[in-house]
Amino acid sequence: MIIPLVLTSEIPIYQQIHDRVVEGIASGTLPVGASLPSIRALAADSGINFHTVNKAYDLLRQEGLLHLTRKHGAVIARDHTSGPPHQDFVADWDTRARTLLAEARAHGLSHGDILDRCQALLTAFGVDGPPSAPASGSLA
Amino acid sequence: MIIPLVLTSEIPIYQQIHDRVVEGIASGTLPVGASLPSIRALAADSGINFHTVNKAYDLLRQEGLLHLTRKHGAVIARDHTSGPPHQDFVADWDTRARTLLAEARAHGLSHGDILDRCQALLTAFGVDGPPSAPASGSLA
Amino acid sequence: MIIPLVLTSEIPIYQQIHDRVVEGIASGTLPVGASLPSIRALAADSGINFHTVNKAYDLLRQEGLLHLTRKHGAVIARDHTSGPPHQDFVADWDTRARTLLAEARAHGLSHGDILDRCQALLTAFGVDGPPSAPASGSLA
Amino acid sequence: MIIPLVLTSEIPIYQQIHDRVVEGIASGTLPVGASLPSIRALAADSGINFHTVNKAYDLLRQEGLLHLTRKHGAVIARDHTSGPPHQDFVADWDTRARTLLAEARAHGLSHGDILDRCQALLTAFGVDGPPSAPASGSLA
DNA sequence: GTGGTCTAGACCACC
DNA sequence: GTGGTCTAGACCACG
């Protein structure tokens, strides 16, 4: 598991680690049971501090996506096969999605363009069922 | 123009102002030419600092969404009728959308669920014209 | 707000801070809106590190008990007047209570003794309603 | 004696073993004289380390709940029929109970709700005799 | 070996 | 001023 980081980015490093792991889970690269590098190993390999990685892993743990044990290290605890999300998560996600979609709309992307982009991004993660007959073909 | 703020939120106030304005533009509540309260008026009405409002308005100006002039005050400069977005914006937006969509996927929302939610949120903003002929494949 | 700490205890300092604040909320000493010392002030006054206090406050924030803002500092966000608890909290609390009660039982405290102690401890926090006619007088 | 363990839990395994045994004693499943699996047997059956079980058993021994002999193995040494607890235990238990009860109170459970939950949990352990004459006021 | 805690000191973002 | 992030290095608890 290689985690590309941009140390000079304005996005906090711990957030970048978190986001890359989440994307790995979403794409199936990191299924339930997959191991992440140990906190110290990732810190050493990435040239960053132990505590920065610790914070990222702890955040993932709080979200229920990661199990941290002394014995097995850091192990993915959840993916799209683990059932529906917590309702609190969905509410929060909707709020953030609303803001992000509004931004696209305000800058001139059309309703259809935005949905197309979302679908393309999702498809890039891989499918979770029969993708041959998109039930939500009502993009227009 | 009333801007609801949650002063105790973990989201910076200037960001909240920015997001609410963007959502106003997206929903058509704030079309091109619409006026926002003056910086001082909004600061006074909301009980927040002058500089906080200033920062929010400046951010909107940098994004090309707001015109700030001494004469006319703060005027909306862009909406979905103003043509396609800058490509830099689209690239940045895609990155953030990718992260947000990955999060939903990782927490268990299905491909279809996510698209449905996005569509519902977009529909809530109102329509932008006859979307009967979606220009698909325009992701690149 | 004075927070007594035992630096030599086996209980982590951040946990002690957390527990003392929770007890303050339970006893009414810290109602919603009350301010805690700033992270740095408490660290300096207690002779402990900034990060230790930060971790305690962050834990309280995660539990929804504390609001942390740059403007108002650390403010109590919840108490027994804020409505019923989250169901996830109750489930977790039950598990821990079960273990604690079992311990008392195993060491020889009787059913009645244990309930008496719990009631005495709760009464020490103060009352939340008409305490004249305890509806749960079925201690026996 | 089957001891269910959650190897991925944040609670240390030795603590889980300890807690399950204590609950067994409280519920009467493990009366005085009952035998626990040998350290090696439990370690092998649960797929955990010898030292982990050893630590759990030793902790129970220190608390006076378990007798460890080469001849008879691990035997329950105490339950609710063995008389009142040591005062040191009671003082420590009260401290922990105070914290746990405060947590419930801070999160919004009412005085009555908390007592009801405690009583329900205690009742689930079974009764210890006719509790018709509660010896109240024995907190000190 | 792993993760968890604590200390110490720096700089940044927000208000 | 506040909280938030990052670095650096120490020691402890767990398995």
Side-chain angles (χ1 to χ4, degrees), chain C residues 8-139:
Chain C
T8 57
S9 167
E10 64 177 349
I11 299 173
I13 297 174
Y14 83 93
Q15 184 78 54
Q16 294 184 46
I17 297 173
H18 168 270
D19 290 349
R20 292 303 86 73
V21 171
V22 168
E23 288 167 12
I25 297 174
S27 69
T29 307
L30 294 171
V32 166
S35 283
L36 257 48
S38 79
I39 294 181
R40 283 176 171 78
L42 180 53
D45 291 353
S46 301
I48 58 178
N49 191 275
F50 161 85
H51 291 102
T52 306
V53 181
N54 191 21
K55 180 161 186 173
Y57 278 22
D58 190 60
L59 184 56
L60 289 163
R61 185 186 58 74
Q62 285 171 34
E63 295 173 343
L65 297 176
L66 197 63
H67 269 314
L68 294 172
T69 64
R70 283 169 256 270
K71 189 166 191 177
H72 306 95
V75 178
I76 302 297
R78 202 185 201 301
D79 61 17
H80 67 91
T81 67
S82 310
H86 197 291
Q87 63 178 13
D88 286 356
F89 167 79
V90 178
D92 178 64
W93 187 87
D94 258 23
T95 302
R96 287 181 289 147
R98 179 179 152 83
T99 300
L100 188 73
L101 294 170
E103 220 172 320
R105 202 79 185 77
H107 280 84
L109 281 174
S110 73
H111 195 115
D113 283 344
I114 298 172
L115 273 184
D116 283 350
R117 300 196 95 79
C118 288
Q119 182 150 37
L121 288 165
L122 283 170
T123 303
F125 288 141
V127 291
D128 58 348
S132 55
S136 54
S138 57
L139 268 192

Side-chain angles (χ1 to χ4, degrees), chain B residues 106-127:
Chain B
H107 279 83
L109 281 174
S110 74
H111 195 113
D113 284 344
I114 298 172
L115 272 186
D116 286 349
R117 297 198 96 82
C118 288
Q119 182 154 29
L121 289 165
L122 283 169
T123 303
F125 288 140
V127 291

Side-chain angles (χ1 to χ4, degrees), chain B residues 23-112:
Chain B
E23 288 168 12
I25 297 174
S27 69
T29 306
L30 294 171
V32 167
S35 284
L36 256 48
S38 76
I39 294 181
R40 283 184 170 74
L42 180 52
D45 290 352
S46 302
I48 58 179
N49 196 289
F50 168 89
H51 295 99
T52 305
V53 182
N54 193 21
K55 180 164 186 172
Y57 278 21
D58 191 59
L59 183 56
L60 288 163
R61 185 190 57 75
Q62 286 174 33
E63 294 172 344
L65 297 176
L66 199 64
H67 266 316
L68 292 173
T69 61
R70 290 184 203 80
K71 193 168 187 179
H72 304 96
V75 179
I76 301 298
R78 202 185 203 301
D79 62 17
H80 66 93
T81 67
S82 311
H86 193 286
Q87 64 176 14
D88 287 355
F89 167 79
V90 178
D92 176 63
W93 188 87
D94 258 23
T95 301
R96 286 181 290 146
R98 178 178 153 83
T99 300
L100 187 72
L101 294 171
E103 219 172 321
R105 202 78 186 77
H107 279 83
L109 281 174
S110 74
H111 195 113

Side-chain angles (χ1 to χ4, degrees), chain A residues 19 22-23 78 80 85 90 93-94 96 98-100 103 105 107-108 110-111 116-117 120 125 128 138 140, chain B residues 19 23 78 80 85 90 93-94 96 98-100 103 105 107 110-111 117 119 128 131 135-136 138-139:
Chain A
D19 290 349
V22 167
E23 288 167 11
R78 202 184 201 302
H80 66 92
V90 178
W93 188 86
D94 258 24
R96 287 182 290 147
R98 178 179 152 82
T99 299
L100 188 73
E103 220 172 320
R105 202 79 184 76
H107 279 83
S110 74
H111 195 116
D116 283 349
R117 301 195 94 81
F125 288 141
D128 57 348
S138 56
Chain B
D19 291 349
E23 288 168 12
R78 202 185 203 301
H80 66 93
V90 178
W93 188 87
D94 258 23
R96 286 181 290 146
R98 178 178 153 83
T99 300
L100 187 72
E103 219 172 321
R105 202 78 186 77
H107 279 83
S110 74
H111 195 113
R117 297 198 96 82
Q119 182 154 29
D128 55 350
S136 63
S138 59
L139 184 64

Side-chain angles (χ1 to χ4, degrees), chain A residues 12-14 40 48-49 51-52 55 70-71:
Chain A
I13 297 174
Y14 83 92
R40 282 176 172 79
I48 58 178
N49 192 273
H51 292 101
T52 305
K55 180 161 186 173
R70 283 168 256 270
K71 190 167 192 176

